[in-house]
């Protein structure tokens, strides 16, 4: 099985508002900062259909695109926000940063998801936010890596994601690209064999 996958990007917006004090002709400036965590990428089996192959190619190009782009400062801001991971019996870990407000996904449903993926050393290898477009795929049918299907639909010890939710996933190798890795060329791999992967996933909507 081959696969592709992506960790988190944040956005910081600052607003300034003048305020008059009751008996003073002076202005004070207040600044509010919002940091929004955003969440990964996916996999395909060797015997997948053309649609799955197309998704795989899209992810591969995403990986290459990310390698050619400088790591944006907002990614560092997002990583600074702590998230207490819960380990499921399967070994997959998750943490809900934002609990969704809409319905959960159904197996086989076409959905849209944003993601950021990184290795355990913190290196970001892919981000749909950098491309400005969420990934569209059918969840639960092997169009993406196993960790995505399980992490979004839910499983033993893992609740399903709801639309609008943002979740961090920590995937053991068997839930990611396994012993093959991904993006390998000339003895070097973007995602090394047996790599543990971290993803920030945002369940945007049904497609």
């Amino acid at each position: 099985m081959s696969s592709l996958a992506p960790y988190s990007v944040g956005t910081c917006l600052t607003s300034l508002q003048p305020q008059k004090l009751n008996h003073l002709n002076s202005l004070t400036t207040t600044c509010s900062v919002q940091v929004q965590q955003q969440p990964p990428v996916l996999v395909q089996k060797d015997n997948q259909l053309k649609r799955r192959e197309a998704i795989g190619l899209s992810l591969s190009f995403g990986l290459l695109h990310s390698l050619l782009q400088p790591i944006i400062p907002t990614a560092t801001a997002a990583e600074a926000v702590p998230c207490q991971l819960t380990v499921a019996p399967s070994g997959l870990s998750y943490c809900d940063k934002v609990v969704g407000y809409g319905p959960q996904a159904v197996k086989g449903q076409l959905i849209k998801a944003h993601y950021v993926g990184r290795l355990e050393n913190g290196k970001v290898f892919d981000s749909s936010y950098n491309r400005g477009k969420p990934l569209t795929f059918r969840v639960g049918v092997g169009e993406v890596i196993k960790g995505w299907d399980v992490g979004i639909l839910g499983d033993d010890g893992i609740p399903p994601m709801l639309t609008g939710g943002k979740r961090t996933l920590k995937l053991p190798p068997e839930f990611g690209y396994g012993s093959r890795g991904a993006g390998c060329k000339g003895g070097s791999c973007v995602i090394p064999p047996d790599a543990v992967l971290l993803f920030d996933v945002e369940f945007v909507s049904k497609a």
Side-chain angles (χ1 to χ4, degrees):
M1 180 178 75
S2 66
S3 35
L4 300 174
Y7 191 75
S8 79
V9 169
T11 302
C12 182
L13 301 175
T14 304
S15 62
L16 300 177
Q17 291 184 330
Q19 296 179 342
K20 279 191 175 182
L21 300 178
N22 286 336
H23 299 291
L24 298 174
N25 290 321
S26 62
L27 295 177
T28 56
T29 299
T30 61
C31 180
S32 64
V33 178
Q34 293 182 331
V35 177
Q36 185 176 15
Q37 291 285 3
Q38 335 277 46
V41 185
L42 317 161
V43 185
Q44 40 180 148
K45 299 180 180 179
D46 291 334
N47 60 351
Q48 293 297 345
L49 301 176
K50 290 183 179 180
R51 167 175 170 72
R52 299 181 184 181
E53 294 172 352
I55 291 177
L57 280 175
S58 173
L59 294 174
S60 296
F61 285 127
L63 290 174
L64 291 175
H65 179 273
S66 297
L67 290 175
L68 296 174
Q69 298 297 319
I71 296 178
I72 56 178
T74 49
T76 302
E79 292 166 13
V81 178
C83 187
Q84 185 64 47
L85 293 168
T86 299
V87 183
S90 63
L92 187 152
S93 302
Y94 76 96
C95 172
D96 284 320
K97 294 184 175 180
V98 176
V99 176
Y101 51 82
Q104 67 189 63
V106 178
K107 182 177 180 180
Q109 188 175 60
L110 197 64
I111 68 170
K112 293 182 179 180
H114 263 307
Y115 66 86
V116 182
R118 69 178 182 179
L119 304 177
E120 275 194 298
N121 63 9
K123 181 179 180 180
V124 175
F125 57 81
D126 196 11
S127 170
S128 65
Y129 295 102
N130 284 351
R131 296 190 294 278
K133 183 179 181 181
L135 182 68
T136 299
F137 63 97
R138 294 190 185 280
V139 66
V141 295
E143 286 190 353
V144 298
I145 53 177
K146 183 180 178 181
W148 273 57
D149 283 339
V150 174
I152 293 174
L153 288 178
D155 198 3
D156 183 24
I158 304 174
M161 288 188 73
L162 303 180
T163 304
K166 298 177 182 179
R167 174 174 288 180
T168 295
L169 298 172
K170 184 176 183 179
L171 311 183
E174 61 270 25
F175 282 89
Y177 299 100
S179 60
R180 295 179 60 180
C184 298
K185 184 177 180 181
S188 177
C189 298
V190 175
I191 299 175
D194 298 316
V196 173
L197 304 177
L198 293 164
F199 288 96
D200 276 350
V201 181
E202 178 184 359
F203 180 5
V204 178
S205 67
K206 294 189 296 183

